[in-house]
Amino acid sequence: MDNPFTLDTIELFHIRIPLRAPFATSFGVTTDRETILLRAITADGLEGWGEWAGDGPGYSYETVQTAWHILNDYLIPLALKAPWNDPRSAVERFGAVRGHNITKATLEAALWDIAARRAGVSLRAFLSAVTRQPTRDRVPVGVSIGIQPSPEALVEQVGRYLEQGYRRIKIKIKPGRDIADARAVRQAFPNALLMVDANSAYSLDDAPVLKQLDDLDLLMIEQPLGYDDIYQHSLLQPQLKTPICLDESIHSPDHARAALALGACRIINIKQGRSGGLTQAVEIHDLCQAQHVPVWCGGMLETGIGRALNLALASLPNFTLPGDLSASARYYERDVVDPPFVLNPDGTLSVPEGTGLGVQVDFGYIAQISLRREQQRG
Ligand code: MG
């Protein structure tokens, strides 16, 4: 890669975008989503976009406020001060800041977008070239369903999504809303690809409860134990037939290596934000691929900007399980990209083919839903 560029301007938009319907997990209920969109502009006028793929402090220590601070006071000055040869060098340059992975990924995404645009290809084609791996133009997708008022209401929701063509159903569980919910869905839909996500709501003492899920032919149980735990999951996995998938506790290739070596999981949910960006997400993908451990792409209710990035990532070959990559209309009445993402009849989303992220950003709508903006120039 030898096509260096210099960034001239980086602008942040703190947006609040309404969700179509409230989303409930073991953390609580979300009715709209606040996040940051980042626009980087090169000296020769090319634009790249990134989206902060986080949530509140119940998910991670990174919040919109910490991201605003770390971007403005550390990462943006680092990004503006010297030219870029390769977006992969962001890992080293931003290494001056420890942690803050979701925030680093926001800026790194814009670098990938720009690098692909400069090469005149889609981000998918660009990733394929830099990783020397084949990629797919469509990605099978699943849907993630929050905790519903009752198992009956849940079954009804699941039926609706299966009818829309989603290929895999994930239901959120928590103590007291687990076995009965999962069993009701399994009985109603014996052949559905079904999994549960516990978002760290259990402890090792709950192993007998989790073992009851073994009869329900689930694809996996996602992150049952501590959000930063690997070791206790390695004690739980041998007690279960159902594969454990780690999500919250995998922040780096080192974490993935440790989890696989300890037998803490048999599947990994890769989120590019939590992994510190696309570069490290690809590294985790490659590491799992070498050990025949399947991965899938998690979601953080991204707008079309983050969704486009996720789709490019999920086009890599070891993303063999459907990801949490729903159509725009699953979460938003109106997306920040035009046209919005729609589900193909075969239960896939198409990876954008335009250059870079390949989406048309609706700048007017972003301006309209921005609570504040801030810009720095090189
Ligand atoms: Mg999860």
Side-chain angles (χ1 to χ4, degrees):
M1 207 177 308
D2 191 24
N3 197 356
F5 61 87
T6 304
L7 295 179
D8 179 74
T9 307
I10 299 178
E11 189 169 14
L12 300 180
F13 303 83
H14 174 177
I15 62 163
R16 181 187 285 150
I17 181 166
L19 290 174
R20 267 187 92 170
F23 194 81
T25 68
S26 63
F27 310 132
V29 181
T30 313
T31 54
D32 47 22
R33 180 165 172 259
E34 276 190 45
T35 191
I36 297 169
L37 300 178
L38 178 150
R39 173 168 69 161
I41 306 173
T42 64
D44 52 2
L46 271 184
E47 261 186 31
W49 284 87
E51 174 174 350
W52 184 78
D55 197 349
Y59 176 71
S60 154
Y61 65 87
E62 290 183 79
T63 65
V64 166
Q65 298 290 356
T66 68
W68 200 263
H69 158 56
I70 294 293
L71 281 163
N72 274 309
D73 296 336
Y74 300 98
L75 301 179
I76 291 176
L78 283 171
L80 290 171
K81 80 168 190 190
W84 290 94
N85 282 308
D86 186 327
R88 288 174 292 185
S89 61
V91 174
E92 200 188 332
R93 197 186 292 192
F94 297 160
V97 173
R98 284 197 182 163
H100 298 279
N101 276 3
I102 303 169
T103 306
K104 290 173 179 171
T106 310
L107 187 41
E108 201 208 76
L111 300 172
W112 280 99
D113 188 11
I114 288 169
R117 280 175 204 252
R118 290 177 69 83
V121 297
S122 68
L123 182 55
R124 168 170 90 89
F126 191 72
L127 266 182
S128 181
V130 301
T131 63
R132 296 166 203 267
Q133 300 202 63
T135 53
R136 292 162 301 175
D137 61 358
R138 287 170 167 225
V139 173
V141 297
V143 70
S144 171
I145 302 175
I147 294 164
Q148 301 299 308
S150 66
E152 295 73 35
L154 174 64
V155 166
E156 201 186 306
Q157 282 258 351
V158 169
R160 259 202 299 279
Y161 286 115
L162 286 172
E163 227 161 77
Q164 287 173 31
Y166 285 103
R167 288 208 189 163
R168 184 227 64 199
I169 298 292
K170 160 161 134 184
I171 63 171
K172 299 281 185 177
I173 59 167
K174 64 179 182 183
R177 291 301 306 277
D178 38 34
I179 311 303
D181 280 42
R183 187 169 290 141
V185 175
R186 177 46 85 216
Q187 278 169 359
F189 308 101
N191 301 316
L193 286 183
L194 178 65
M195 60 177 283
V196 296
D197 187 358
N199 291 113
S200 301
Y202 297 84
S203 74
L204 206 48
D205 296 339
D206 297 315
V209 177
L210 297 168
K211 272 187 207 175
Q212 294 178 52
L213 294 169
D214 271 344
D215 299 334
L216 300 177
D217 188 26
L218 302 179
L219 265 183
M220 68 192 92
I221 302 173
E222 192 178 347
Q223 197 77 30
L225 308 182
Y227 68 89
D228 57 355
D229 170 76
I230 292 175
Y231 173 65
Q232 294 190 72
H233 282 98
S234 79
L235 302 180
L236 178 63
Q237 178 66 88
Q239 302 181 51
L240 301 176
K241 279 188 280 177
T242 311
I244 289 176
C245 169
L246 288 182
D247 173 8
E248 282 91 334
S249 53
I250 306 297
H251 294 262
S252 66
D254 283 343
H255 286 166
R257 223 171 267 121
L260 298 183
L262 287 168
C265 63
R266 295 186 200 136
I267 297 172
I268 288 180
N269 166 355
I270 298 182
K271 287 185 178 144
Q272 62 81 30
R274 195 199 53 221
S275 308
L278 220 45
T279 307
Q280 296 203 126
V282 169
E283 210 179 318
I284 296 172
H285 164 274
D286 294 351
L287 181 73
C288 290
Q289 188 175 32
Q291 299 190 36
H292 309 288
V293 170
V295 302
W296 56 280
C297 184
M300 292 298 300
L301 313 189
E302 286 88 348
T303 71
I305 292 173
R307 194 165 307 265
L309 186 79
N310 283 342
L311 282 167
L313 172 65
S315 74
L316 289 168
N318 194 42
F319 281 88
T320 54
L321 296 163
D324 281 347
L325 296 161
S326 312
S328 300
R330 163 75 181 94
Y331 299 125
Y332 301 109
E333 207 63 66
R334 179 171 173 189
D335 203 344
V336 302
V337 301
D338 191 36
F341 286 97
V342 292
L343 194 66
N344 297 317
D346 63 351
T348 62
L349 284 180
S350 299
V351 186
E353 289 299 315
T355 56
L357 288 174
V359 288
Q360 192 62 45
V361 173
D362 184 346
F363 194 79
Y365 184 50
I366 290 175
Q368 194 186 317
I369 58 175
S370 288
L371 303 173
R372 57 176 163 163
R373 292 164 69 158
E374 198 159 325
Q375 172 179 305
Q376 286 189 48
R377 304 200 58 174

